[in-house]
Amino acid sequence: MIRRTPRTAVVLLAALVAGALAGCGATSSPRVEDGSTAASAAVGEARRPDASPRTPMDGTLLAPATGLGARPPAWLGTRELPRAQSGYGEVRPTPKVLRNRRWTRPDTVPRLPGHGFAARVVSPAPGTVIERSSWREGCPVAATDLAWIRLTFWGFDAQRHTGELLVHRTVADDIVGVFRTLYRERFPQEQVGIVRSYDPDAAPTGDGNGTGSFVCRPTTGASYFSQHAYGLAIDLNTFQNPYLKDDVVLPELASSYLRRDVVRPGMIVAAGPVIEAFALIGWEWGGAWHESVDYQHFSQNGR
C-alpha cells in the first residue's frame, strides 16, 4: 500500500501546481485518448457483523455526496497519532465524519479538455515530473522506464476531475484502459496523484487518502522493494480500502472500512467493477490475500 507523508502540506499535495507542469518535454510524442488493545478494539468493532445488513452495492457513485462526510474536517492531516509497538500509528476508532468519507480534493494538474474520459500518456516521464516524485538514485526502476499519465476520473461530487499517475512504461496503456472502465462505471475517487516523498519516520495522522502508483519504498512490514517502487502496483482510495495485518490497520483511523459488508461509495468489492477491470489486464487484488489483507492494492505479480 502507499504510505503518504502525513504532513498537511503533503497530504493535500498543494505543491503540485499547474506551473510546474508547463512546458514539460519528453523524448517521445504523447499519446492521446479521449472518451484488546485500542487497536484490537477498533478492529474487532469493525469486524462485528451488522445487525441490520444492507443491500450490497458495488462501490460506485449513485448521487453527489451531501451531509456528514461530504466535506473534510478542518483538523484533517494535523492530529498526530502516538506510535504503537508495531512502529505505525496507534489504531483508533474511525471518527464519525470519516465513516462515510465522500469528499473530493482539488485536482493536482490542469483539467484535461473535452467531456467524458480522456487520458494523456508521456513516455518517458518528463524530468520535471520525476523531480516531484519519490524517485531517487538507488530505486529499482530507471526514471526513463516511468511513464506519466494524466487522466480523468469521477469525484465524490459527481463531477469530472483530472489526476496524474507515474507507472512503468510497459503497463501505461493497460492502466489507461482500467481507468476508462472506472470512469464509465462512475467509481468515485478522492484524488489521483503522484506521491511526492516517502518518509517512514513522519508522524502519522492516520487519515490520508488517495489513488496512486509509483512510490520508491519497501513493501509494508518488509525490507525488499514494493511493486510500487517499480510502478507496477496501484492503490485506490486508500482510506475506503485499508490494509490489515494482525492489529495493524493502515490508515490507522480507517477501521470502519474493515466492515466490507456495509458498502459505501469508493469501496472495492468482489462483485464490483474495479476488480473486474484489473483482472482483464492480469492484475491481482490484495483484498484476496490471507496473511494480510490490502483492500486498496492491485499489482501485476499479485504482491
Side-chain angles (χ1 to χ4, degrees):
M1 65 168 292
I2 291 178
R3 293 280 295 161
R4 287 172 171 75
T5 303
R7 301 297 184 186
T8 305
V10 177
V11 171
L12 298 179
L13 293 175
L16 298 181
V17 293
L21 303 176
C24 290
T27 58
S28 60
S29 301
R31 300 192 294 279
V32 179
E33 179 181 348
D34 287 294
S36 66
T37 60
S40 298
V43 173
E45 179 182 355
R47 284 173 168 169
R48 279 201 297 270
D50 191 3
S52 305
R54 303 182 186 182
T55 303
M57 299 180 295
D58 60 3
T60 53
L61 193 67
L62 302 179
T66 58
L68 187 67
R71 293 184 179 182
W75 49 260
L76 192 76
T78 66
R79 296 178 176 177
E80 297 179 0
L81 296 171
R83 293 278 183 178
Q85 281 190 328
S86 63
Y88 298 106
E90 183 179 283
V91 177
R92 294 182 174 177
T94 306
K96 189 174 182 179
V97 70
L98 302 183
R99 292 175 194 167
N100 194 354
R101 183 170 179 158
R102 306 180 320 281
W103 61 75
T104 308
R105 299 285 184 87
D107 290 356
T108 61
V109 288
R111 174 188 172 92
L112 285 175
H115 303 278
F117 182 77
R120 306 288 190 271
V121 178
V122 181
S123 181
T128 51
V129 175
I130 297 295
E131 287 171 4
R132 55 184 177 80
S133 76
S134 62
W135 190 89
R136 63 186 186 278
E137 292 294 337
C139 290
V141 64
T144 52
D145 281 334
L146 293 173
W148 180 41
I149 305 176
R150 287 168 292 163
L151 48 77
T152 55
F153 65 96
W154 281 102
F156 288 89
D157 55 1
Q159 299 295 316
R160 180 181 186 262
H161 290 269
T162 301
E164 61 176 344
L165 294 169
L166 269 181
V167 303
H168 198 280
R169 59 180 177 78
T170 59
V171 300
D173 290 337
D174 283 343
I175 295 305
V176 168
V178 167
F179 278 81
R180 184 194 308 112
T181 298
L182 301 189
Y183 188 92
R184 184 180 67 238
E185 298 292 338
R186 298 175 69 92
F187 182 83
Q189 297 171 77
E190 184 170 316
Q191 188 174 66
V192 178
I194 295 173
V195 179
R196 294 180 62 91
S197 63
Y198 171 68
D199 181 7
D201 297 321
T205 59
D207 55 10
N209 195 24
T211 293
S213 178
F214 175 76
V215 191
C216 190
R217 66 162 181 83
T219 294
T220 302
S223 58
Y224 53 87
F225 278 113
S226 164
Q227 288 298 292
H228 288 289
Y230 299 87
L232 295 173
I234 285 185
D235 289 345
L236 277 82
N237 287 343
T238 53
F239 197 87
Q240 285 92 350
N241 302 287
Y243 169 95
L244 170 67
K245 184 175 183 180
D246 300 324
D247 285 344
V248 173
V249 178
L250 302 173
E252 292 91 341
L253 297 182
S255 294
S256 171
Y257 279 95
L258 296 176
R259 289 286 309 277
R260 307 309 286 182
D261 58 326
V262 183
V263 181
R264 287 145 283 178
M267 290 176 62
I268 298 166
V269 296
V274 183
I275 296 173
E276 240 178 70
F278 277 101
L280 286 174
I281 66 169
W283 284 36
E284 297 181 27
W285 181 41
W289 295 349
H290 299 293
E291 291 185 5
S292 61
V293 180
D294 201 349
Y295 291 114
Q296 65 202 242
H297 183 85
F298 291 88
S299 61
Q300 188 181 61
N301 72 350
R303 296 193 298 272

